[in-house]
Amino acid sequence: MSLIEIRRIRVREGALDLEVAIPVSVLHVTQDQADRILGLLPNLARHVCVNGAGDGSFGDELVGTELAHLLEHLIIELQGKAARDGEFTGHTSWLEELETTVPQGYALMRTTVTFANDFVALGAMNCALEIIDWTSGSDEADAPDIEGMIAFLAAM
């Protein structure tokens, strides 16, 4: 079972909108998860990240950010590696205040990413979910096959 539940997917012209539910107990990226992610995809640390704290890098934000925000950057990174000629952007925000959803045990967010090909974006979403799940598993679990994922997405 995935850490992240995609409750709704909306494909619109040039963008994918995801309604993302995450258990409150695993809402934020831990240091261990960040280390594992950056071991697989070190370029994530160099992604531009603009938010209320100002302009910075995603590497500065990674530990303690929400898993939905990580999902956004993973989808962008995987699409970028597969397409090699596109510039992708994204945005993650709260759909409901935590005070509303915490009693039910989850957080509800919206993640939006741009795409050149909707099938590639949806495939990148599935790969990103697999990567996120791997980061919370045991250290003995085989790392996701990033090169295989990218080849799969590039072939679409």
Side-chain angles (χ1 to χ4, degrees):
M1 179 166 179
S2 181
L3 288 178
I4 295 176
E5 177 188 352
I6 305 298
R7 291 199 170 170
R8 185 169 294 133
I9 298 172
R10 179 175 163 228
V11 179
R12 55 186 171 89
E13 188 173 337
L16 186 66
D17 295 321
L18 307 172
E19 184 177 298
V20 180
I22 305 166
V24 173
S25 60
V26 295
L27 179 59
H28 296 101
V29 176
T30 66
Q31 182 67 58
D32 183 55
Q33 286 175 305
D35 292 343
R36 292 179 87 179
I37 280 285
L38 294 177
L40 283 179
L41 295 162
N43 189 55
L44 280 174
R46 294 184 287 281
H47 280 207
V48 173
C49 193
V50 179
N51 59 37
D55 296 358
S57 72
F58 186 62
D60 296 335
E61 296 273 323
L62 184 53
V63 174
T65 197
E66 298 83 7
L67 285 180
H69 189 206
L70 173 58
L71 177 67
E72 169 198 332
H73 282 270
L74 282 171
I75 294 169
I76 290 168
E77 179 72 4
L78 293 168
Q79 286 187 100
K81 286 186 173 298
R84 301 201 187 271
D85 63 351
E87 187 170 314
F88 304 99
T89 60
H91 181 262
T92 297
S93 59
W94 295 99
L95 267 175
E96 289 188 41
E97 295 297 321
L98 276 176
E99 296 81 25
T100 304
T101 60
V102 164
Q104 287 90 33
Y106 67 92
L108 193 59
M109 302 185 81
R110 173 177 290 123
T111 295
T112 299
V113 292
T114 61
F115 62 75
N117 178 309
D118 56 345
F119 291 111
V120 174
L122 290 165
M125 176 198 72
N126 285 325
C127 292
L129 291 169
E130 180 182 333
I131 292 167
I132 290 170
D133 287 342
W134 170 79
T135 67
S136 67
S138 96
D139 289 337
E140 288 82 42
D142 289 338
D145 178 8
I146 299 299
E147 294 305 316
M149 289 175 173
I150 292 165
F152 169 75
L153 296 171
M156 290 183 158

